[in-house]
């Protein structure tokens, strides 16, 4: 089995991070952690009336499998709890120990290359124009029969971007040593190939 090797993949909502991370993990035979799910699980608990810090401190692995974590309401709640430094602090150890597991790990989120794993062997920052990201998210949600309007999805993407970028604790910003991939004009297949080629370079 390969020794620990951490791939940090950050970027704004709906840039293609999740799909790229899963494909990269499958390609290298690494385990994948979608760190957004941690914040979504905490956000979902606050929608049920729980205190966000207590919810983060008591988070269990099975909470990541709760249904409806992908809904737009939970996404906004996740972005709101993610502003709180105490919530972020409660989630650090779990992410770091996942990152250093034997056999290699891919973590995707907002602060993996900057705060959680500043020494990651490979770092990517995946981005795309806000309107392209909103269009993709709209098509994904429309396919599930959400009854949303495109303008509403675009407004939510912009709101979440602003909150994630402007917060004081671990704001969304590319690590200095991250390779930037802008997927606005790329097919998902090309974006995956570009990501794999950056990582191959860092592995050699
Ligand atoms: O990646 P996602 O859309 O599932 O993330 C949901 C929210 O969680 C996002 O708007 C900000 C927050 N988040 C974060 O602050 N840090 C991370 N590493 C991952 C997600």
């Amino acid at each position: 089995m390969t020794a620990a090797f951490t791939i940090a993949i950050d970027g704004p909502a709906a840039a293609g991070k999740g799909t790229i991370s899963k494909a990269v993990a499958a390609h290298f035979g690494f385990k994948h952690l979608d760190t957004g799910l941690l914040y979504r699980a905490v956000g979902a608990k606050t929608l049920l009336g729980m205190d966000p810090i207590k919810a983060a401190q008591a988070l269990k692995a099975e909470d990541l499998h709760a249904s409806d974590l992908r809904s737009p309401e939970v996404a906004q709640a996740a972005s709101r709890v993610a502003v709180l430094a105490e919530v972020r602090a409660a989630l650090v150890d779990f992410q770091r120990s996942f990152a250093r597991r034997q056999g290699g790990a891919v973590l995707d989120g907002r602060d993996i290359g900057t705060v959680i794993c500043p020494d990651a062997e490979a770092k990517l920052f995946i981005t795309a124009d806000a309107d392209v990201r909103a269009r993709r998210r709209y098509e994904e949600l429309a396919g599930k029969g959400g009854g949303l309007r495109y303008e509403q999805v675009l407004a939510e993407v912009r709101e979440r971007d602003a909150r994630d970028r402007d917060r004081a604790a671990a704001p969304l910003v590319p690590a200095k040593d991250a390779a930037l991939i802008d997927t606005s004009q790329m097919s998902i297949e090309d974006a995956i190939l570009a990501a794999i080629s950056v990582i191959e370079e860092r592995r050699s």
Side-chain angles (χ1 to χ4, degrees):
M1 191 174 263
T2 343
F5 188 99
T6 307
I7 301 173
I9 303 189
D10 290 305
K17 276 188 325 279
T19 310
I20 293 171
S21 300
K22 282 193 202 87
V24 160
H27 178 84
F28 291 101
F30 289 4
K31 288 274 189 239
H32 169 227
L33 177 66
D34 169 0
T35 65
L37 275 184
L38 303 172
Y39 296 91
R40 284 173 184 261
V42 175
K45 286 183 187 272
T46 64
L47 294 178
L48 299 171
M50 232 176 134
D51 170 74
I53 299 168
K54 288 200 181 100
Q57 288 167 346
L59 201 69
K60 293 191 280 316
E62 59 258 36
D63 296 331
L64 306 185
H65 304 294
S67 59
D68 83 357
L69 290 186
R70 293 276 160 217
S71 73
E73 295 73 30
V74 172
Q76 291 294 345
S79 171
R80 284 195 297 271
V81 300
V83 167
L84 304 170
E86 293 94 332
V87 165
R88 309 197 68 85
L91 304 174
V92 167
D93 288 350
F94 176 75
Q95 295 176 82
R96 288 200 177 135
S97 60
F98 187 95
R100 295 321 287 167
R101 63 195 306 286
Q102 293 298 300
V106 180
L107 286 83
D108 78 84
R110 303 289 188 289
D111 63 338
I112 308 302
T114 48
V115 174
I116 302 295
C117 305
D119 299 327
E121 282 79 6
K123 296 183 188 177
L124 296 171
F125 193 87
I126 312 287
T127 184
D129 298 339
D131 53 335
V132 173
R133 290 186 284 118
R135 175 67 55 195
R136 290 179 188 156
R137 187 48 58 89
Y138 170 72
E139 278 160 14
E140 185 188 321
L141 294 168
K144 291 181 188 153
L148 283 173
R149 288 186 309 114
Y150 166 73
E151 290 71 23
Q152 188 185 343
V153 178
L154 177 62
E156 285 184 4
V157 161
R158 291 213 162 112
E159 188 188 333
R160 208 138 68 88
D161 279 359
R163 203 187 290 117
D164 294 348
R165 285 195 174 119
D166 296 343
R167 68 186 179 214
L172 170 66
V173 53
K176 287 196 178 63
D177 49 351
L180 251 74
I181 299 180
D182 185 328
T183 67
S184 305
Q185 311 283 337
M186 275 179 163
S187 69
I188 192 67
E189 291 79 15
D190 286 347
I192 291 167
L193 290 176
I196 289 174
S197 119
V198 167
I199 299 160
E200 295 281 16
E201 246 172 63
R202 308 275 163 107
R203 285 192 100 198
S204 54

